[in-house]
Amino acid sequence: MERLTFRHATKAPLAGAKPLAITGVVASGNLEVLLERTLPPDACTVEIETPIHGYGDVWEAVVADFVARAQPGGLRITINDGGARPDTVSLRLLQGARLMEA
Amino acid sequence: MSGWRQERAERDARIEAGRAHASGKVVPAGRAVDLLEAVLRPGDRVCLEGDNQKQADCLARALSLCDPAKVHDLHMVQSGIVLPEHLDIFEQGIAKRLDYSYSGPQGGRIARMLFGGQIELGAVHTYLELFARYFVDLTPQVALIAGVSADRDGNLYTGPNTEDTPTVVEATAFKNGVVVAQVNEIVERVPRVDIPGDRIDFVVEADRPFYVEPLFTRDPAAMTETQILMAMMAIKGIYAEYGIRRLNHGIGFGTAAIELLLPTYAEKLGLKGRIATHWALNPHPTLIPAIESGWVQQVHCFGSEVGMDRYIRERPDVFFTGADGSLRSNRAFCQTAGLYACDLFIGSTLQIDLAGHSSTVTQSRVAGFGGAPNMGSDPHGRRHPSDTWMKAGREAEIVGDPALMRGRKLVVQIVETFGDKLAPAFVERLDALELAKKIGLELAPVMVYADDVTHIVTEEGIANLLLCRTADEREQAIRGVAGYTEVGRGRDRAMVESLRARGIVRRPEDLGIEPLDADRSLLAAKSIKDLVHWSGGLYDPPARFRNW
């Protein structure tokens, strides 16, 4: 397993007040995303456990794009990866943010 | 004057030698090896019928059992390298040279044998191209074909999977060649004469029915949200925009998803009757919901698909069927239809480079590409207009007199940015070029050339290459939809945004598509079982797809 952590400063807190959400499934080629509203409103962290080594750069790019697109201020995001492709990761993160806004 | 009838004399001698093992035209399966040893001559050009679905497998086994001292150095000229026997004969010295189109399941082994020099390769052809050469310089001396049944005169019923058979027989039988057909059974009277008996020299009653691969069955249960998102973009950003009514689909999950979104998503967009009404397409089971809900008016097929026979029989208004009720397919005709009469081809590939060239050849697999290069090309011989074709022509750069403008066929690649095992679909340089260099091919096995591709669809968006005016714009448009591959991450972000402002790169949000709506609930059928329900129980899926 490889562990990666990315910290981002955000311009705004994510809308909504939902304290917690889970999306996705732990399965081959998929991933489970846990989102918790536990950080200051101008911060977001994404912690990843992945069985596939050597994709740190790709994760960094996916997470940076997600933060720019969703402005997920206040969220601590934990990911259990089952070898998901970047497009699936991106889709799940956006789904998670949408669930927290609801 | 002996010089004018030499081929005919040789044919007569082959037939005479073969008769020793036949009763009339009929040869028992147990004598097939003797028959082949009798009619074949060293160095013959031989078509062993085998394409991506239907296989003359009994004759393939017999050929592989021939004595290499008697039968050797054959030049195989056939559509498919699919069965192990197709390559065994090269290891045994029975065959030496190869011209072919497709090698799906044998792609890994054929790559090793090509690299290892065990096969002398002519070319990796398209189907139409190989068929064309049957009539010019690759005419078979012997054709080994497959049919469903035959009578004792050799009248042949090919059944729904007619595929290559008429073309192979036409070329061989009318140029002094010998045609041997394997059939599942000898009958008193065939249901329909697909090939007249005077074109068939010997009929082998096979030990078991010929093998057919269910190549066009895509289980909706395996469809991903990413594929659904891409399908939504294709429907809204291409099908609706160009009003595409006449089209051909490849065999991937991306296009199967489009088929399953027609009665749901496309219906909601009000597109019924305005898109996807006429098809050149194998009878994909995923098309059943669109047929049943009245979207599809007509389908002409290259071949058939396992389990679709009853369904097709009950839908003669849609499919081309004979007086006997079963499907009549013909690969050569359907390829021609796809080439000249369709306004769009959409398919998938394994690699696309920065200019838009694509190939399914990788370092470890040479899968060939069948008909894709024909379907996925802009036929310069076309002379009939359609709104779709003319619109695409207007978008392409026009030079010279506008009154002499012609249209363009839409050639779309629908690919996920990463494939199996996180292999990137976008690359700086195609593996096909590496292969060509290694084995000294004069022509690299490129599937679709860049100048034919009009659009690329990925989960990240659509790149409209017709609207690009420079090589640089084209490269950035491709990088702009290449996702998180190295090619995608190497984009010039500012330039991609300016292409986006010009509508050359379009994101889901630019098309009014919410990625979160890309949900499996949009699929008209979510499983094979759903497809069976849609068909009113007429679709009979192969056992491997039955999980209920």
Side-chain angles (χ1 to χ4, degrees):
Chain A
M1 292 300 270
E2 186 169 10
R3 281 163 193 268
L4 303 163
T5 303
F6 301 105
R7 292 186 177 77
H8 284 271
T10 53
K11 293 185 193 113
L14 187 78
K18 206 166 175 208
L20 183 125
I22 294 179
T23 180
V25 289
V26 186
S28 174
N30 218 309
L31 74 166
E32 185 182 49
V33 181
L34 169 67
L35 306 96
E36 300 166 282
R37 209 183 284 270
T38 57
L39 295 183
D42 59 349
C44 172
T45 65
V46 180
E47 296 154 51
I48 299 148
E49 281 216 19
T50 173
I52 302 175
H53 287 254
Y55 283 86
D57 291 354
V58 175
W59 281 104
E60 187 180 351
V62 174
V63 169
D65 278 353
F66 162 69
V67 171
R69 209 163 152 186
Q71 287 299 320
L75 299 196
R76 178 190 174 202
I77 298 172
T78 317
I79 294 177
N80 266 320
D81 176 40
R85 300 186 310 188
D87 53 281
T88 313
V89 177
S90 183
L91 194 64
R92 291 273 178 257
L93 283 168
L94 287 169
Q95 283 174 340
R98 183 55 57 90
L99 287 171
M100 293 293 279
E101 286 170 346
Chain B
M1 182 67 216
S2 63
W4 301 111
R5 302 185 64 83
Q6 203 171 325
E7 280 186 7
R8 179 60 57 91
E10 279 175 24
R11 177 191 135 83
D12 291 345
R14 291 163 189 261
I15 300 286
E16 189 55 38
R19 281 214 178 107
H21 309 286
S23 155
K25 289 186 177 183
V26 177
V27 179
R31 302 294 295 277
V33 175
D34 297 327
L35 174 78
L36 295 187
E37 288 181 349
V39 301
L40 286 164
R41 302 282 179 269
D44 272 353
R45 277 185 305 272
V46 176
C47 174
L48 172 53
E49 187 172 14
D51 49 53
N52 47 21
Q53 287 180 286
K54 167 186 167 183
Q55 304 299 333
D57 51 355
C58 172
L59 295 176
R61 285 192 296 278
L63 184 61
S64 74
L65 293 172
C66 284
D67 180 355
K70 296 177 187 158
V71 180
H72 53 86
D73 295 322
L74 300 181
H75 178 182
M76 306 306 294
V77 291
Q78 67 197 56
S79 290
I81 296 294
V82 178
L83 303 174
E85 290 85 355
H86 292 161
L87 289 173
D88 293 347
I89 57 174
F90 285 90
E91 283 177 348
Q92 294 155 356
I94 293 170
K96 181 181 182 187
R97 191 171 167 80
L98 175 66
D99 281 274
Y100 81 113
S101 297
Y102 173 84
S103 71
Q106 298 294 330
R109 188 170 166 215
I110 200 170
R112 289 193 297 279
M113 289 179 70
L114 285 173
F115 280 121
Q118 287 161 288
I119 296 173
E120 200 179 292
L121 182 68
V124 184
H125 295 71
T126 69
Y127 293 125
L128 272 183
E129 182 179 22
L130 185 62
F131 295 165
R133 291 193 66 189
Y134 285 161
F135 296 103
V136 179
D137 59 348
L138 289 182
T139 312
Q141 273 112 7
V142 177
L144 311 175
I145 62 165
V148 170
S149 58
D151 63 21
R152 295 195 164 269
D153 294 329
N155 290 305
L156 197 67
Y157 172 57
T158 57
N161 277 290
T162 318
E163 307 221 351
D164 302 23
T165 321
T167 313
V168 172
V169 173
E170 183 83 14
T172 310
F174 290 96
K175 194 64 178 60
N176 304 307
V178 176
V179 180
V180 180
Q182 76 167 70
V183 293
N184 300 346
E185 55 177 347
I186 309 272
V187 295
E188 278 304 307
R189 194 180 159 82
V190 289
R192 178 176 85 200
V193 179
D194 286 323
I195 311 280
D198 59 3
R199 298 175 197 176
I200 305 291
D201 299 302
F202 296 102
V203 178
V204 174
E205 191 165 17
D207 39 5
R208 54 176 186 256
F210 67 75
Y211 179 70
V212 189
E213 168 79 15
L215 191 69
F216 299 93
T217 301
R218 293 286 166 266
D219 188 346
M223 228 159 252
T224 66
E225 287 160 354
T226 296
Q227 287 154 353
I228 294 166
L229 177 64
M230 293 195 307
M232 292 165 76
M233 284 193 274
I235 288 171
K236 201 163 179 193
I238 299 177
Y239 288 40
E241 296 241 333
Y242 293 89
I244 292 151
R245 295 190 56 186
R246 307 179 303 191
L247 71 166
N248 165 248
H249 271 192
I251 65 172
F253 273 98
T255 45
I258 293 174
E259 291 156 22
L260 289 174
L261 291 189
L262 291 175
T264 56
Y265 180 69
E267 181 101 21
K268 266 185 258 163
L269 295 175
L271 297 172
K272 190 170 179 176
R274 293 179 44 215
I275 63 166
T277 54
H278 292 73
W279 299 72
L281 189 76
N282 268 56
H284 292 190
T286 41
L287 199 61
I288 291 171
I291 295 171
E292 292 303 301
S293 51
W295 272 75
V296 174
Q297 290 168 28
Q298 188 163 302
V299 182
H300 188 262
C301 301
F302 306 90
S304 191
E305 180 63 359
V306 181
M308 287 290 282
D309 293 352
R310 276 174 64 218
Y311 181 74
I312 291 165
R313 275 181 186 278
E314 298 301 322
R315 300 291 180 270
D317 286 355
V318 173
F319 295 99
F320 288 74
T321 51
D324 67 305
S326 65
L327 180 73
R328 168 65 169 187
S329 64
N330 184 315
R331 189 195 296 280
F333 289 161
C334 198
Q335 290 282 341
T336 309
L339 182 61
Y340 284 106
C342 287
D343 292 326
L344 168 135
F345 162 81
I346 178 167
S348 199
T349 186
L350 294 180
Q351 290 189 337
I352 299 180
D353 73 8
L354 298 178
H357 298 293
S358 66
S359 184
T360 53
V361 168
T362 63
Q363 296 281 6
S364 55
R365 287 185 61 78
V366 182
F369 26 63
N374 289 139
M375 317 299 275
S377 66
D378 184 35
H380 284 195
R382 178 168 164 169
R383 292 293 184 274
H384 76 279
S386 72
D387 291 346
T388 301
W389 192 71
M390 295 302 282
K391 176 179 161 72
R394 285 191 299 274
E395 286 189 352
E397 191 167 20
I398 302 166
V399 288
D401 187 347
L404 284 171
M405 188 205 84
R406 57 180 170 181
R408 276 289 299 258
K409 181 177 186 176
L410 295 174
V411 175
V412 183
Q413 296 281 11
I414 183 163
V415 293
E416 296 166 77
T417 54
F418 286 95
D420 268 355
K421 299 191 177 104
L422 280 173
F426 292 88
V427 294
E428 299 254 347
R429 189 180 154 84
L430 298 176
D431 284 356
L433 305 189
E434 208 51 47
L435 174 83
K437 207 168 100 186
K438 271 192 192 162
I439 64 174
L441 293 180
E442 204 177 345
L443 185 69
V446 170
M447 182 167 75
V448 176
Y449 283 99
D451 57 359
D452 281 320
V453 184
T454 62
H455 296 75
I456 297 174
V457 182
T458 73
E459 72 275 359
E460 210 188 359
I462 300 177
N464 182 341
L465 304 180
L466 281 174
L467 294 172
C468 294
R469 292 294 176 256
T470 65
D472 210 25
E473 286 183 1
R474 197 177 175 89
E475 176 179 329
Q476 291 303 328
I478 291 170
R479 287 186 188 274
V481 296
Y484 294 96
T485 60
E486 267 187 52
V487 164
R489 285 186 286 143
R491 74 186 59 163
D492 175 337
R493 284 180 175 260
M495 191 162 166
V496 170
E497 281 311 305
S498 84
L499 293 175
R500 200 175 154 196
R502 285 163 56 196
I504 293 174
V505 169
R506 300 174 85 188
R507 304 274 177 240
E509 53 267 40
D510 303 333
L511 292 161
I513 294 170
E514 166 62 73
L516 302 185
D517 291 343
D519 190 275
R520 289 183 41 80
S521 64
L522 273 184
L523 297 174
K526 292 164 196 65
S527 64
I528 292 281
K529 195 177 178 185
D530 285 355
L531 292 173
V532 175
H533 282 304
W534 268 104
S535 77
L538 294 169
Y539 171 45
D540 179 23
R544 77 166 102 147
F545 290 103
R546 291 175 175 273
N547 52 6
W548 59 92

